[in-house]
């Protein structure tokens, strides 16, 4: 059996990733498609312990990078790959692109090195589709409802994140679907459902 689709959701904090991923999971489920909704950090047993540290403890930038990578490696091997191999679609709220933009564009760590470390952490798994919800940083941060230490970063930091995402999308247009996060969530969901029908469901 070919492995099931792997779809990731990316964007600045408060962009609407969790909302859209949950709606899509519900829609796929209603279509009879087996689906797993998961997230980073925190999608594995190890990740559940790492998540509060990553979101709330002061960390050196390299220590932060290594913890996100440890979370990803464990999550990929224990949760994501087994699900994909048994034919379950996986929707993941943040994945390797988050590390490229937050630790690379945001913290200024070496991007080529992060790409190599991401390849190790993901066992070379690449999303079949990455949904980037793009909107002005101030609009997104005004919506964010779960405070963490990233939210306290400067506007310049969050602007680098947004620009980093747009550069990644520009470099890989066939993997990324960029949605305008200012639109109503129903409109975003309809656009995404249409994309999935064309790409994966053969409608
Ligand atoms: N991080 C990292 O640095 N490196 C890494 O490798 C990884 C992560 C994997 C995880 O935070 C932090 O870790 C993240 C990056 C860093 N921090 N930041 N910034 P998280 O998982 O706790 O939170 P988040 O992913 O950043 O965002 P969030 O607060 O969960 O937001 P969201 O999922 O994008 O948005 P939402 O919860 O779906 O929606 C927010 C509100 O907006 C909510 O009230 C919705 O009802 C509303 N909403 C949603 N969509 C719309 C639309 N279309 N219109 C109007 N209102 C909407």
């Amino acid at each position: 059996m070919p492995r099931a689709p792997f779809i990731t959701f990316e964007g600045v904090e408060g962009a609407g990733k969790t909302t859209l991923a949950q709606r899509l999971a519900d829609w796929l489920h209603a279509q009879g498609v087996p689906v797993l909704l998961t997230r980073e950090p925190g999608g594995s047993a190890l990740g559940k312990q790492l998540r509060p540290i990553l979101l709330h403890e002061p960390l050196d930038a390299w220590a932060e990078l290594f913890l996100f990578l440890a979370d990803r490696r464990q999550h990929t091997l224990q949760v994501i790959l087994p699900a994909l191999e048994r034919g379950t679609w996986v929707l993941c709220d943040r994945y390797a692109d988050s590390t490229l933009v937050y630790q690379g564009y945001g913290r200024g760590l070496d991007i080529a090195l992060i790409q190599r470390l991401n390849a190790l952490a993901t066992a070379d798994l690449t999303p079949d589709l990455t949904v980037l919800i793009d909107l002005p940083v101030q609009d997104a941060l005004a919506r964010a409802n779960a405070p963490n230490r990233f939210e306290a970063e400067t506007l310049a930091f969050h602007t680098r994140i947004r620009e980093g995402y747009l550069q990644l999308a520009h470099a890989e247009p066939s993997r990324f679907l960029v949605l305008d996060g200012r639109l109503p969530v129903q409109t975003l969901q309809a656009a995404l459902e249409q994309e999935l029908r064309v790409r994966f469901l053969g409608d």
Side-chain angles (χ1 to χ4, degrees):
M1 178 173 43
R3 76 161 175 79
F6 177 41
I7 301 170
T8 57
F9 292 78
E10 298 282 358
V12 297
E13 184 161 9
K17 302 173 295 300
T18 309
T19 305
L20 191 59
Q22 181 65 62
R23 281 173 162 258
L24 196 71
D26 293 345
W27 178 75
L28 284 168
H29 185 71
Q31 312 293 307
V33 173
V35 58
L36 172 73
L37 176 59
T38 186
R39 68 174 176 182
E40 289 195 0
S44 66
L46 172 69
K48 286 185 179 56
Q49 299 193 54
L50 293 178
R51 185 175 169 88
I53 298 171
L54 280 163
L55 294 188
H56 302 296
E57 295 297 325
L59 292 174
D60 165 76
W62 288 100
E64 176 183 274
L65 170 70
F66 293 137
L67 289 179
F68 276 118
L69 293 167
D71 171 61
R72 180 157 310 125
R73 175 83 185 175
Q74 201 76 1
H75 187 211
T76 301
L77 295 187
Q78 290 195 330
V79 178
I80 299 175
L81 283 172
L84 294 174
E85 279 156 16
R86 65 174 182 265
T88 297
W89 292 41
V90 176
L91 310 184
C92 192
D93 190 346
R94 295 195 179 281
Y95 195 59
D97 296 309
S98 281
T99 313
L100 275 176
V101 296
Y102 279 88
Q103 281 63 54
Y105 291 86
R107 300 274 190 240
L109 302 186
D110 185 281
I111 289 183
L113 175 59
I114 296 176
Q115 282 168 328
R116 293 207 298 282
L117 294 170
N118 256 339
L120 277 172
T122 61
D124 287 325
L125 175 69
T126 305
D128 301 295
L129 173 67
T130 296
V131 180
L132 171 58
I133 306 178
D134 177 61
L135 76 171
V137 166
Q138 284 104 324
D139 296 3
L141 291 179
R143 289 181 189 170
N145 47 23
N148 63 50
R149 68 191 173 83
F150 292 91
E151 202 179 297
E153 289 290 344
T154 61
L155 201 57
F157 176 88
H158 290 288
T159 301
R160 288 199 299 280
I161 302 305
R162 182 187 185 196
E163 287 168 0
Y165 273 129
L166 291 172
Q167 285 187 29
L168 296 185
H170 184 72
E172 280 188 83
S174 59
R175 174 163 71 90
F176 278 87
L177 172 70
V178 183
L179 297 177
D180 181 345
R182 293 169 300 183
L183 295 172
V185 68
Q186 294 81 354
T187 307
L188 301 181
Q189 183 179 348
L192 186 49
E193 287 174 9
Q194 179 57 20
E195 186 78 17
L196 295 200
R197 284 194 183 94
V198 171
R199 283 192 190 230
F200 307 116
L201 295 170
D203 289 4

